Amino acid sequence: MAASGGTSYRNGANSRNSLKFDKPFSPNSNPNSSLKSKSLPNSTLGRSSPASLGAAKNDGGVPGRVRVAVRLRPRNSEELIADADFADCVELQPELKRLKLLKNNWDSDTYEFDEVLTEFASQKRVYEAVVKPVVESVLDGYNGTIMAYGQTGTGKTYTLGRLGEEDTADRGIMVRAMEDILAEVSLEMDSVSVSYLQLYMESIQDLLDPANDNISIVEDPKTGDVSLPGASLVEIRHQESFVELLRLGEAHRFAANTKLNTESSRSHAILMVHVKRSLKGRDSTLGSDIGGHSHLVKTLKAPIVRKGKLVVVDLAGSERIDKSGSEGHTLEEAKSINLSLSALGKCINALAENSAHVPVRDSKLTRLLRDSFGGTARTSLVITIGPSPRHRGETTSTIMFGQRAMKVENMVKIKEEFDYKSLSRRLDIQLDKLIAEHERQKKSFEMEIERITKEAEDRISEAERSHSNALEGSVECADKEVEELKNLVKRETLLRKAAEEEVDNLRTQVAQLKRSETSCNLEISRLCKSLEDEQNKKKKLEGDIAVLQTQLLQLSFEADETSRRLDRGEPGKVLGSIDSQVQQVKHSLAQEPGNGEKASVAKLFEQVGLQKILSLLEAEDYDVRIHAVKVVANLAAEETNQQKIVEAGGLSSLLMLLRNTEDETIHRVAAGAIANLAMNETNQELIMSQGGISLLSMTAANAEDSQTLRMVAGAIANLCGNDKLQKKLRGEGGIKALLGMVRCRHPDVLAQVARGIANFAKCESRASIQGSKAGKSFLIEDGALPWIVQNANNEASTIKRHIELALCHLAQHEVNARDMMNGGAVWELVRISRDCSREDIRSLAHRTLISSPTFQAEMRRLRIDY
């Protein structure tokens, strides 16, 4: 399809001939340098995206954020004249990987990228810093994507598609990537094939076969993978062949002359390089005797094949119509380019903001790149910008696109499978050799028998002639010779039959081997089922062990009571009483399986007594002690029992367990019981007076189990809600203990930490309003603010709700405002006032922002329309 309105093929070519290559490859050397990825500051990192551009992720992948590099084009001849009196709109700091966007002579914005490439950076520097790690990943079996984005005329095609025919130092990313790939692959075992396409006016066209101008996109309904079965796929075996292919593709690509670029690309070019590498499997041999002869039978293992795909995307440049001067058909092309780039930007925004919906189907470009952003590919993006202050708006848009792309995280996954077709071909070749050898031996047997038979016939004829010619021969001697000849023929006939029987035996043994293979498969299935049965038995035995542990606790009650009664001379009654209690508890468990544990604990509490249960907390037997602390924890869960437990000394016993034992199970259950008791204000003061916060802090520091940390965090969170205990709790390390538990990263633990911080902030806010608290918040002094701001928009609703409430309470006290502004809390407060799902928190954030002069001034400085 020829373009109209000023659009033409590059290099003035209009041919639609497909490309054929006959030249062999010669491998090139591969540089050994590679790029080590550097982590970015928190301000530029994005959260993990929940989904790719419409594709589901698979488990087992490795997280890999999209890496973004910015490259500055030097001033062109027009800019050297028109902008001679003006400074560049950007200032690069490559050693810090920063870029300053100058708004005016005194104000600028600073942005950080993975790489910052000045106008003096060579093509080799760009390749090794941005592309080489992706190419190495493709050779290892991963998918990789290299994409250039920027305003028209900023050097995207120069960076990616430069052939370097006049100066090899000017070679672009496509040529250098293929050199490294061909240097690593084996021409005998591996294969490299390419497709070269363009997306023009929402139509996918084959640059290697222009007649193929409407290629369909096919999606796998199971995996979501995108393929283009209608595109030409050319196998590459020589670097010169690949360069010729690029030259032909560029000649067919649409371009036009605009005010901004004399050769502006009017389509998105997409180069797909498919690398298939074989990993040779090991062979094992098995010796066997067949038909009395020793043979060597080979069991072949299927080779492993790694399939990597490198996608290089040269996006058409974004442009403003009033600057480019596009009109007619060129205007329609510009609209199509801007629409597809806009669709890509929307998808990047949705992924960066963890949106539930990613509009991947708005454009064919986003459908083709669904694996590159948020998918399984390792992706590097090069954004190209110009220095001219006249295009500051387009430069700002390009920089913000790169910043959002850095927040997209892919789940990189290796593409590896078994090459059963290759194994089948090898087996067919081996079988053909065996059949040919068998036919050769059979033919040799037949020829030998024919030779012997002919020799025997000749000897018989000669004997007959001799007999007839000999007048004086002995008849007896002649008969004996004839008999010998007959015996010889008979033996040769028997040998022939034996050979045929051996061939039949070989065929029978081949059939037996096939049946043996089927039998082995059935045996494997039987063993799998047997393994599953053993696992079920194991689970049943674990249940039986749990029952036996419960019985052990009951027997410990019986033994202790029996020994006391024996001392007083009444053994029979006590034993019967305990036995009766155990039977009653078992009977109640059988009748009410849903509430069996609570019923048995209540029964035990009534009949054995609280003092007896508490005394078992000091038992020497570990199982008795652990069951006793579980009983106390269950009793503490009921509000009616809490006062009794405290009066009987149960709180002191639980704190003693935290102090004197090292078992984490006991720590977890005891901390849970203390958390239940800490819901009462009187009990909270008792816990603090007995050093409970120090013991809980020590337990949190030594614990590794997430459930133990959750119980400890819940107990401290309850204590944080007491107005009277604020200073003492902070002084004994309560706040730092809470912050220390975030190392666990378990959502339940983080929810309890967030609840404790919210309770503490609420009490501080109330004290500040009442005038009993002056100065900054203890939370800010102990360093809790960065974690609070970081988790203010946490995906877990329980964490997010508490953190939002804590931020609002901290902001109500004006003395905290300056620290909160420096910590980035203003943006979160604005978001809470607008987007929080709970009206009361949303209203509280709104009132705080409008009532604080400090926050009002900061929002005006940040140009937040509020």
Side-chain angles (χ1 to χ4, degrees):
M1 178 177 64
S4 60
T7 304
S8 64
Y9 290 110
R10 291 186 185 272
N11 304 329
N14 293 313
S15 64
R16 297 173 179 263
N17 298 329
S18 60
L19 183 64
K20 294 183 179 179
F21 299 106
D22 298 322
K23 294 176 66 179
F25 273 125
S26 62
N28 296 318
S29 62
N30 182 25
N32 294 323
S33 60
S34 61
L35 177 65
K36 295 185 179 178
S37 301
K38 296 184 179 179
S39 59
L40 292 172
N42 293 335
S43 59
T44 62
L45 287 174
R47 294 183 181 89
S48 229
S49 176
S52 67
L53 295 182
K57 289 184 180 178
N58 294 324
D59 291 338
V62 179
R65 178 177 57 77
V66 173
R67 295 180 57 79
V68 181
V70 59
R71 187 181 194 187
L72 177 65
R73 170 183 59 76
R75 289 196 179 194
N76 55 32
S77 57
E78 178 186 352
E79 292 169 348
L80 288 173
I81 298 173
D83 300 335
D85 297 332
F86 300 96
D88 291 349
C89 66
V90 293
E91 178 183 331
L92 303 186
Q93 296 176 330
E95 66 281 356
L96 300 178
K97 298 187 178 180
R98 291 179 182 171
L99 176 149
K100 284 188 177 181
L101 178 62
L102 305 179
K103 297 181 179 180
N104 45 50
N105 291 335
W106 59 86
D107 194 9
S108 65
D109 289 331
T110 302
Y111 302 93
E112 294 187 1
F113 291 92
D114 294 300
E115 290 292 338
V116 174
L117 305 168
T118 68
E119 64 270 32
F120 305 109
S122 65
Q123 293 280 70
K124 180 179 180 181
R125 162 66 178 156
V126 175
Y127 175 77
E128 295 197 348
V130 180
V131 183
K132 191 174 182 65
V134 178
V135 173
E136 292 174 348
S137 297
V138 171
L139 289 169
D140 289 336
Y142 297 92
N143 286 349
T145 300
I146 305 297
M147 188 170 73
Y149 177 93
Q151 182 190 9
T152 181
T154 54
K156 299 183 296 302
T157 303
Y158 175 83
T159 300
L160 294 180
R162 191 77 170 181
L163 299 182
E165 295 175 313
E166 298 179 358
D167 186 355
T168 56
D170 288 342
R171 289 170 299 159
I173 286 173
M174 293 180 180
V175 176
R176 293 176 183 271
M178 183 57 71
E179 287 177 353
D180 280 0
I181 290 173
L182 293 178
E184 286 294 327
V185 300
S186 169
L187 299 181
E188 291 77 14
M189 299 178 60
D190 306 333
S191 67
V192 180
S193 54
V194 300
S195 297
Y196 201 13
L197 313 166
Q198 69 174 349
L199 179 59
Y200 176 73
M201 300 286 284
E202 283 301 300
S203 174
I204 301 177
Q205 302 177 5
D206 196 335
L207 289 174
L208 305 182
D209 183 11
N212 189 9
D213 59 0
N214 191 16
I215 300 174
S216 300
I217 299 176
V218 178
E219 297 182 12
D220 191 319
K222 294 182 179 179
T223 63
D225 292 340
V226 174
S227 61
L228 301 169
S232 300
L233 191 64
V234 180
E235 184 173 358
I236 301 298
R237 299 184 62 80
H238 197 271
Q239 180 69 16
E240 286 74 12
S241 301
F242 176 69
V243 173
E244 183 64 27
L245 180 147
L246 290 181
R247 185 182 297 109
L248 178 62
E250 286 298 307
H252 291 148
R253 190 176 176 189
F254 289 104
N257 186 0
T258 68
K259 292 181 179 180
L260 297 177
N261 191 356
T262 58
E263 195 175 355
S264 174
S265 302
R266 314 310 289 169
S267 65
H268 307 299
I270 303 170
L271 176 70
M272 295 184 178
V273 182
H274 302 268
V275 181
K276 180 179 179 182
R277 306 191 71 186
S278 298
L279 304 179
K280 186 176 180 182
R282 295 177 297 175
D283 293 343
S284 60
T285 59
L286 174 65
S288 63
D289 287 339
I290 303 177
H293 300 280
S294 177
H295 295 270
L296 194 63
V297 180
K298 279 193 174 183
T299 302
L300 301 176
K301 183 178 180 181
I304 297 174
V305 175
R306 288 182 176 174
K307 295 181 179 179
K309 181 173 71 173
L310 175 64
V311 180
V312 184
V313 185
D314 181 9
L315 295 174
S318 59
E319 61 182 56
R320 291 186 178 179
I321 306 303
D322 55 345
K323 292 186 178 182
S324 65
S326 299
E327 59 185 12
H329 187 72
T330 306
L331 177 59
E332 296 301 319
E333 292 173 336
K335 290 179 180 179
S336 176
I337 291 170
N338 289 339
L339 283 175
S340 61
L341 293 177
S342 176
L344 177 60
K346 289 178 181 178
C347 291
I348 296 296
N349 289 344
L351 289 169
E353 296 172 1
N354 294 325
S355 175
H357 171 66
V358 181
V360 65
R361 296 191 175 276
D362 288 359
S363 169
K364 287 186 178 180
L365 177 63
T366 54
R367 293 178 65 191
L368 288 171
L369 297 179
R370 67 187 305 169
D371 190 48
S372 302
F373 290 95
T376 62
R378 189 181 302 280
T379 300
S380 289
L381 171 66
V382 181
I383 60 172
T384 58
I385 58 176
S388 175
R390 290 180 296 158
H391 304 306
R392 181 181 285 107
E394 290 85 344
T395 301
T396 302
S397 176
T398 301
I399 290 173
M400 296 312 298
F401 179 88
Q403 288 287 296
R404 289 189 293 271
M406 290 175 69
K407 297 180 180 180
V408 179
E409 186 163 334
N410 296 348
M411 188 59 65
V412 183
K413 183 178 180 183
I414 195 169
K415 310 293 182 182
E416 193 174 84
E417 62 185 28
F418 290 106
D419 190 1
Y420 291 105
K421 291 183 180 180
S422 174
L423 177 62
S424 176
R425 288 194 298 269
R426 292 168 62 188
L427 291 175
D428 288 340
I429 293 173
Q430 186 175 357
L431 181 59
D432 291 340
K433 289 182 179 179
L434 291 175
I435 293 174
E437 178 65 18
H438 169 67
E439 293 294 335
R440 187 189 65 78
Q441 291 182 359
K442 181 178 179 182
K443 186 176 181 181
S444 176
F445 275 129
E446 291 176 351
M447 292 177 63
E448 182 67 16
I449 291 172
E450 288 178 0
R451 184 188 66 77
I452 294 174
T453 302
K454 184 178 180 181
E455 182 180 349
E457 290 175 352
D458 291 343
R459 291 178 65 181
I460 291 172
S461 298
E462 184 179 355
E464 289 177 349
R465 288 195 300 271
S466 299
H467 179 71
S468 61
N469 293 333
L471 297 177
E472 298 178 357
S474 173
V475 175
E476 182 179 357
C477 182
D479 292 340
K480 184 177 180 181
E481 186 175 354
V482 170
E483 186 65 25
E484 289 178 355
L485 290 174
K486 289 180 179 181
N487 291 335
L488 179 61
V489 171
K490 185 176 180 180
R491 284 196 300 270
E492 295 299 334
T493 303
L494 292 175
L495 287 175
R496 178 178 178 179
K497 290 182 179 179
E500 292 176 349
E501 289 177 356
E502 184 176 358
V503 171
D504 292 337
N505 288 335
L506 287 173
R507 290 175 178 170
T508 303
Q509 290 176 4
V510 170
Q512 289 176 351
L513 288 174
K514 291 182 178 178
R515 289 195 296 271
S516 176
E517 181 181 3
T518 304
S519 175
C520 289
N521 291 335
L522 293 174
E523 180 65 16
I524 290 173
S525 300
R526 186 187 65 78
L527 290 174
C528 290
K529 187 176 184 304
S530 176
L531 179 60
E532 184 178 355
D533 293 341
E534 290 296 331
Q535 290 176 345
N536 293 334
K537 290 179 181 178
K538 180 182 178 183
K539 291 180 180 178
K540 183 179 178 182
L541 288 174
E542 289 175 350
D544 294 341
I545 290 171
V547 173
L548 290 174
Q549 288 177 343
T550 304
Q551 293 175 354
L552 178 62
L553 174 62
Q554 295 169 354
L555 290 174
S556 68
F557 289 153
E558 293 177 6
D560 192 58
E561 286 296 325
T562 301
S563 63
R564 292 189 181 184
R565 298 296 294 177
L566 283 172
D567 292 339
R568 289 180 286 184
E570 300 177 6
K573 293 182 180 181
V574 174
L575 184 59
S577 174
I578 294 297
D579 185 66
S580 174
Q581 293 167 10
V582 172
Q583 294 300 325
Q584 290 177 8
V585 171
K586 290 181 178 179
H587 181 66
S588 64
L589 285 172
Q591 288 182 340
E592 301 179 19
N595 298 320
E597 185 177 358
K598 290 185 178 179
S600 61
V601 170
K603 192 74 173 178
L604 197 64
F605 177 54
E606 293 175 2
Q607 296 184 356
V608 176
L610 182 60
Q611 288 293 343
K612 173 59 180 177
I613 296 174
L614 293 177
S615 67
L616 292 177
L617 293 176
E618 302 177 4
E620 294 182 0
D621 189 283
Y622 171 79
D623 291 329
V624 173
R625 195 173 1 149
I626 191 112
H627 283 292
V629 75
K630 287 181 179 179
V631 171
V632 174
N634 285 325
L635 291 174
E638 299 292 336
E639 187 175 355
T640 56
N641 299 330
Q642 292 178 359
Q643 189 61 30
K644 298 178 182 178
I645 293 174
V646 174
E647 291 176 352
L651 177 59
S652 300
S653 298
L654 292 171
L655 293 174
M656 178 195 66
L657 288 177
L658 294 183
R659 181 184 296 110
N660 297 336
T661 61
E662 298 181 357
D663 183 78
E664 189 154 351
T665 302
I666 294 178
H667 285 177
R668 178 175 66 251
V669 182
I674 294 171
N676 289 332
L677 295 176
M679 291 187 290
N680 180 279
E681 184 175 352
T682 304
N683 294 343
Q684 291 172 355
E685 296 178 0
L686 287 174
I687 292 172
M688 293 296 295
S689 66
Q690 297 182 27
I693 192 66
S694 299
L695 292 174
L696 290 171
S697 300
M698 180 182 64
T699 304
N702 297 328
E704 297 294 339
D705 180 60
S706 60
Q707 294 303 316
T708 303
L709 291 173
R710 180 173 69 88
M711 295 297 182
V712 174
I716 297 177
N718 289 339
L719 295 173
C720 287
N722 193 318
D723 294 336
K724 304 175 184 178
L725 306 177
Q726 294 280 293
K727 291 184 178 179
K728 187 171 183 180
L729 188 143
R730 188 253 185 154
E732 294 185 9
I735 296 176
K736 291 187 177 179
L738 277 178
L739 294 177
M741 283 184 276
V742 302
R743 71 183 188 277
C744 176
R745 299 183 181 273
H746 193 283
D748 293 342
V749 178
L750 297 182
Q752 294 298 328
V753 173
R755 183 171 69 87
I757 290 175
N759 287 343
F760 197 94
K762 183 177 180 181
C763 290
E764 278 195 331
S765 176
R766 192 158 49 232
S768 298
I769 293 173
Q770 295 172 357
S772 59
K773 171 73 169 68
K776 287 195 296 186
S777 168
F778 291 151
L779 292 172
I780 294 177
E781 291 182 354
D782 283 358
L785 185 59
W787 186 83
I788 294 173
V789 174
Q790 181 182 359
N791 288 271
N793 198 16
N794 196 287
E795 294 179 356
S797 60
T798 53
I799 301 173
K800 181 178 179 181
R801 182 179 71 253
H802 291 308
I803 292 299
E804 289 177 341
L805 188 59
L807 268 178
C808 292
H809 285 307
L810 286 174
Q812 285 186 310
H813 197 27
E814 189 71 16
V815 73
N816 298 328
R818 181 60 57 186
D819 290 289
M820 296 185 71
M821 287 191 303
N822 295 335
V826 174
W827 290 102
E828 293 300 331
L829 286 170
V830 173
R831 180 192 61 76
I832 294 169
S833 69
R834 293 174 176 173
D835 302 333
C836 182
S837 58
R838 285 185 49 174
E839 171 125 11
D840 55 341
I841 299 178
R842 193 166 61 249
S843 300
L844 180 59
H846 177 73
R847 291 196 307 271
T848 301
L849 287 172
I850 63 176
S851 63
S852 171
T854 306
F855 287 145
Q856 286 289 313
E858 179 68 7
M859 288 190 291
R860 285 194 297 271
R861 188 185 71 80
L862 296 175
R863 299 180 181 177
I864 299 175
D865 186 13
Y866 195 82

